[in-house]
């Protein structure tokens, strides 16, 4: 795919006087994208704009290279959508609805029947395919909704809170399925306020808060930091003092030191010299583990 | 001992044909017809639509059968025995109202009630495409409901004609056009208000009641205003949407219409009123669905 998955330029949306999205400039590459933010951050509004259900108040939107709303139909032919909450006709069987969902994307009936069967097998519902969707458990409904979102082999699928209401086992199964979508050549945009779900399934994150963009980039780069966690055998305060005298920022933890060096300094060398000067042994040195949740809370505090 | 290997077939991309927007609209229309007839649903969903279709067909089949058996003994002209196509509309118009009052909510409401509209927003259709396809399925069904018994009657009349089946069908082909045109009038007069109610109502049973009672009330108000002294009372018959199907039938079959005659209105104005109603309803319903699709 040559073009970005999603391109937003100056995107804004208002509900009356309430600003839902504020001047977003975002480009995201193909892959698995996490859209994170607290409830009310603007995630669902953004997805509805990307699908062309809502018109943005300001700015422009391109999805899979298609300008929205000008090329709405072309874009919609290539995407799938699993909305938050049940979006299934409760009086229909899973098999009938999957065939219909595929036909709705223009897939001929014979191929639609084959794809419905394949996709229901993929999500583990093949045995239940002739049961009415209204008789399904919450976990089965979520899997059926994922099945309808991919039954027509889209290029990009939007998943809005896909693990909402699932028990731990169901959540684990759903996240496993979402992770597999990338291997099928389907790009994914997962919206969630459960940040650990995003860390597990995505390689890029777009973080929103109050309609504003907090962060946008690869998860591994966003969560990595130049802070190291150091555990010493001996007087940790003396080591901390020695590090500070070399220009490092040191935060004292109960059993360790968090060391952040100035931008142009190698932290490893700084620590080696401080340990040598204070004749102190080292028990452990690791990169500080930062989660999306830490980053989100830090950003929120800021 | 046999040995085997388990293959994970995984996921197969679709590399075949995609029919695009037209394929999607065909699928929505087909699904609407199945929903209205209760196909693919529980048995109780089929009882009312199938029962009404049977009720509309039965008089035509019975009359043609009786005429075939007893015509020579009774020595009657076939039209005396079977009645005219225009009067057959009187026989089935109430049934067709009941049919559309049940079908429109069954086609329109579940997608909103079960939040299925979200699925359509990731398929190659716009709100207008969805409404055209859903409305089309209702129009096709009601049209068939009205026309099929008339065609049975038409063929029955032709078969009893002394000139023979084929020559009678050819010489009366104008009658078929009148049947089709009058059926369109009924489809619009009953179908458009039913579509409007079904686009807003939340419960299917309540919607069916609202459609029947609403049309009856509108006809009653139009009738009362027609006989009142209020300014513009002569235009009041045009408000009785449900009755306008019958007026179009009268226009098409060149019959008289007492209400329109007394009001001094030409019969074609009923068709014009239905056209205006259709445009207004289409605009209102499209605005409503654009918020969700």
């Amino acid at each position: 795919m040559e073009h970005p998955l999603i391109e937003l330029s100056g995107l804004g949306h208002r509900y009356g006087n309430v600003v839902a999205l504020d001047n977003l400039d975002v480009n995201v590459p193909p892959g698995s994208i996490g859209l994170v933010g607290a409830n009310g951050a603007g995630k669902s509004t953004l997805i509805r704009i990307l699908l062309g259900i809502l018109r943005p108040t300001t700015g422009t939107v391109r999805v899979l290279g298609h300008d929205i709303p000008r090329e709405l139909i072309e874009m919609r032919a290539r995407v799938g959508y699993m909305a938050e909450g049940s979006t299934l006709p409760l009086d229909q069987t899973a098999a009938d609805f999957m065939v219909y969902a595929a036909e709705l994307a223009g897939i001929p009936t014979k191929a639609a029947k084959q794809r419905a069967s394949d996709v229901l097998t993929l999500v583990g519902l093949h045995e239940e395919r002739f049961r009415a969707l209204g008789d399904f458990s919450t976990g089965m409904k979520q899997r059926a909704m994922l099945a309808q979102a991919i039954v027509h082999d889209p290029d990009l699928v939007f998943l809005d809170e896909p693990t909402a209401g699932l028990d731990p086992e169901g959540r684990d199964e759903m996240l496993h399925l979402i992770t597999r979508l990338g291997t099928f050549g389907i790009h994914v945009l997962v919206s969630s306020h459960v940040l650990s779900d995003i860390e597990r399934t995505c390689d890029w994150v777009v973080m929103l808060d109050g309609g504003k963009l907090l962060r946008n980039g690869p998860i591994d780069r966003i969560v990595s930091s130049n802070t190291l966690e150091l555990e010493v055998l001996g007087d940790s305060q003396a080591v901390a003092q020695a590090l500070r005298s070399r220009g490092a920022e040191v935060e004292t933890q109960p059993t360790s030191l968090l060391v952040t060096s100035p931008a142009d300094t190698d932290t490893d060398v700084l620590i080696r010299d401080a340990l040598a000067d204070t004749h102190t042994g080292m028990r452990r040195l690791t990169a500080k583990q930062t989660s999306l949740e830490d980053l989100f809370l830090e950003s929120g505090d800021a | 001992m046999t040995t085997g290997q388990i293959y994970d077939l995984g996921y197969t991309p679709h590399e075949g044909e995609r029919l695009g927007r037209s394929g999607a609209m065909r699928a929505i229309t087909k699904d609407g017809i199945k929903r209205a007839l209760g196909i693919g649903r529980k048995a109780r969903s089929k009882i009312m639509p199938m029962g009404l279709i049977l009720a509309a067909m039965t008089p035509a089949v019975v009359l043609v059968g009786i005429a075939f058996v007893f015509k020579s003994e009774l020595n009657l002209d076939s039209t005396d025995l079977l009645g005219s196509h225009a009067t057959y509309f009187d026989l089935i118009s109430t049934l067709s109202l009941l049919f559309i009052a049940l079908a429109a909510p069954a086609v329109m409401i579940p997608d909103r009630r079960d939040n299925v509209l979200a699925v359509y927003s990731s398929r190659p259709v716009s709100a207008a495409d969805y409404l055209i396809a859903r409305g089309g399925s209702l129009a096709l069904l009601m049209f068939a409901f009205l026309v099929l018994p008339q065609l049975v009657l038409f063929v029955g009349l032709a078969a009893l004609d002394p000139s023979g089946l084929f020559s009678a069908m050819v010489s009366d082909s104008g009658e078929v056009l009148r049947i089709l045109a009058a059926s369109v009038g009924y489809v619009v007069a009953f179908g458009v208000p039913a579509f409007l109610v079904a686009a807003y109502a939340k419960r299917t049973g309540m919607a069916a009641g609202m459609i029947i009672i609403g049309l009856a009330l509108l006809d009653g108000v139009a009738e009362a205003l027609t006989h009142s002294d209020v300014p513009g009372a002569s235009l009041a018959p045009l408000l009785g949407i449900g009755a306008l199907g019958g007026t179009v039938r009268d226009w098409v079959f060149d019959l008289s219409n007492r209400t329109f005659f007394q009001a001094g209105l030409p019969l074609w104005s009923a068709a014009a009123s239905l056209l205006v109603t259709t445009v207004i309803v289409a605009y209102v319903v499209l605005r409503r669905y654009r918020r969700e699709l």
Side-chain angles (χ1 to χ4, degrees):
Chain A
M1 190 177 288
E2 292 168 4
H3 42 72
L5 207 60
I6 293 164
E7 301 161 79
L8 311 177
S9 175
L11 180 73
H13 189 76
R14 286 171 172 273
Y15 294 104
N17 291 326
V18 179
V19 178
L21 295 173
D22 188 11
N23 197 31
L24 301 183
D25 289 305
V26 175
N27 273 12
V28 293
S32 297
I33 315 301
L35 177 61
V36 303
N39 291 331
K43 304 188 298 291
S44 293
T45 298
L46 179 56
I47 288 181
R48 287 168 69 81
I49 287 174
L50 295 175
L51 285 166
I53 301 170
L54 285 178
R55 295 276 175 97
T57 313
T58 60
T60 60
V61 181
R62 294 181 77 84
V63 178
L64 297 169
H66 297 294
D67 179 72
I68 309 302
R70 197 167 52 84
E71 297 171 318
L72 180 70
I73 300 298
E74 290 86 343
M75 181 277 291
R76 283 185 171 182
R78 304 305 305 160
V79 301
Y81 176 36
M82 175 181 172
E84 189 178 3
S86 175
T87 57
L88 301 168
L90 303 180
D91 58 348
Q92 238 177 326
T93 66
D96 282 351
F97 182 57
M98 290 309 143
V99 173
Y100 179 50
E103 287 181 322
L104 268 181
I107 294 180
T109 304
K110 192 177 171 191
K113 285 179 179 168
Q114 184 59 52
R115 286 205 62 80
S117 175
D118 291 350
V119 170
L120 284 171
T121 303
L122 186 77
V123 301
L125 291 175
H126 193 257
E127 296 293 320
E128 318 292 336
R129 64 192 184 282
F130 297 124
R131 276 177 65 185
L133 290 160
D135 297 336
F136 276 21
S137 67
T138 304
M140 289 159 70
K141 280 181 183 165
Q142 291 286 85
R143 280 185 278 155
M145 289 199 293
L146 180 63
Q148 69 75 21
I150 61 171
V151 70
H152 55 303
D153 188 28
D155 293 333
L156 165 65
V157 63
F158 298 97
L159 308 175
D160 196 357
E161 303 285 357
T163 57
L166 294 180
D167 59 24
E169 193 184 342
R171 182 168 162 265
D172 191 59
E173 286 173 1
M174 179 57 71
L175 293 176
H176 176 66
L177 284 168
I178 293 169
T179 309
R180 287 189 72 189
L181 293 181
T183 65
F184 305 153
I186 300 175
H187 307 293
V188 185
L189 186 143
V190 187
S191 162
S192 179
H193 64 273
V194 184
L195 300 176
S196 58
D197 288 359
I198 299 296
E199 280 179 298
R200 185 172 154 186
T201 54
C202 300
D203 43 39
W204 187 282
V205 67
V206 177
M207 199 178 274
L208 298 178
D209 187 35
K212 287 184 161 56
L213 182 67
L214 286 184
R215 286 171 193 269
N216 173 41
I219 288 187
D220 54 0
R221 196 185 302 162
I222 283 180
V223 298
S224 69
S225 68
N226 61 345
T227 300
L228 297 178
E229 186 170 13
L230 171 67
E231 262 182 64
V232 298
L233 296 163
D235 184 359
S236 62
Q237 289 308 315
V239 176
Q241 190 61 38
L243 286 165
R244 286 191 185 106
S245 68
R246 284 170 169 78
E249 281 181 32
V250 182
E251 189 183 321
T252 307
Q253 301 281 306
T255 60
S256 64
L257 301 171
L258 296 178
V259 185
T260 309
S261 61
D264 54 349
T265 312
D266 188 334
T267 315
D268 294 336
V269 173
L270 211 66
I271 290 172
R272 182 200 65 193
D273 293 349
L275 290 170
D277 286 357
T278 55
H279 305 287
T280 309
M282 182 177 73
R283 185 194 299 274
R284 186 169 65 92
L285 180 66
T286 56
K288 187 198 166 200
Q289 294 295 307
T290 307
S291 67
L292 280 176
E293 196 159 344
D294 296 332
L295 285 170
F296 188 73
L297 291 171
E298 282 170 20
S299 305
D301 290 344
Chain B
M1 188 178 126
T2 55
T3 56
Q5 194 165 357
I6 296 171
Y7 293 94
D8 178 7
L9 295 176
Y11 178 86
T12 314
H14 175 70
E15 286 166 359
E17 189 183 12
R18 286 181 191 261
L19 305 172
R21 192 179 206 159
S22 62
M25 289 179 72
R26 266 201 303 278
I28 298 170
T29 306
K30 192 171 77 176
D31 179 71
I33 290 171
K34 286 164 74 177
R35 276 192 171 278
L37 298 177
I39 297 168
R41 267 76 184 175
K42 289 178 179 163
R44 68 168 182 268
S45 307
K46 300 176 183 68
I47 294 171
M48 282 305 285
M50 296 302 182
L52 287 168
I53 290 169
L54 197 66
M57 292 292 289
T58 302
V61 173
V62 169
L63 283 171
V64 170
I66 290 171
F68 265 110
V69 174
F70 297 111
K71 188 182 178 244
S72 57
E73 292 167 36
L74 296 171
N75 198 24
L76 289 170
D77 181 73
S78 57
T79 34
D80 295 337
L81 189 65
L82 300 178
S84 70
H85 294 292
T87 53
Y88 201 83
F89 275 118
D90 287 333
L91 201 63
I92 60 170
S93 63
T94 306
L95 291 175
S96 72
L97 171 60
L98 273 175
F99 180 78
I100 199 70
L102 292 168
V107 169
M108 298 296 290
I109 293 177
D111 281 345
R112 295 199 316 277
R113 183 192 59 205
D114 298 334
N115 300 314
V116 185
L117 289 179
V119 174
Y120 295 94
S121 63
S122 59
R123 298 296 188 273
V125 287
S126 64
D129 296 335
Y130 171 83
L131 291 171
I132 289 168
R134 284 294 196 222
S137 64
L138 288 170
L140 277 173
L141 269 177
M142 195 180 165
F143 190 73
F145 186 96
L146 289 158
V147 167
L148 288 179
Q150 293 276 18
L151 289 182
V152 169
L153 200 60
F154 176 77
V155 174
L157 284 169
L160 292 169
D161 197 283
S163 65
L165 174 70
F166 184 72
S167 84
M169 283 177 73
V170 171
S171 66
D172 288 344
S173 56
E175 198 73 350
V176 175
L177 294 177
R178 279 189 283 276
I179 290 168
L180 299 180
S183 296
V184 170
Y186 282 106
V187 167
V188 177
F190 295 153
V192 169
F195 193 62
L196 176 67
V197 172
Y200 281 87
K202 290 181 178 169
R203 298 173 73 95
T204 50
M206 194 178 288
M210 283 168 65
I211 292 162
I212 294 166
I213 294 169
L215 282 173
L217 280 175
L218 212 54
D219 289 350
V221 169
E223 182 77 17
L225 285 175
T226 305
H227 297 104
S228 71
D229 296 328
V230 296
S234 62
L235 295 173
L238 298 176
L239 296 175
I241 303 296
L244 295 183
T247 311
V248 170
R249 185 270 321 261
D250 294 343
W251 177 44
V252 167
F253 281 94
D254 206 17
L255 301 172
S256 63
N257 183 294
R258 187 177 54 85
T259 308
F260 271 62
F261 178 75
Q262 287 176 347
L265 289 168
L267 294 184
W268 60 259
S269 62
S273 175
L274 289 177
L275 186 64
V276 171
T277 306
T278 305
V279 171
I280 293 169
V281 167
Y283 175 75
V284 170
V285 174
L286 185 58
R287 272 183 65 96
R288 189 244 182 285
Y289 272 77
R290 273 204 175 138
R291 294 201 296 266
E292 298 184 58
L293 199 60

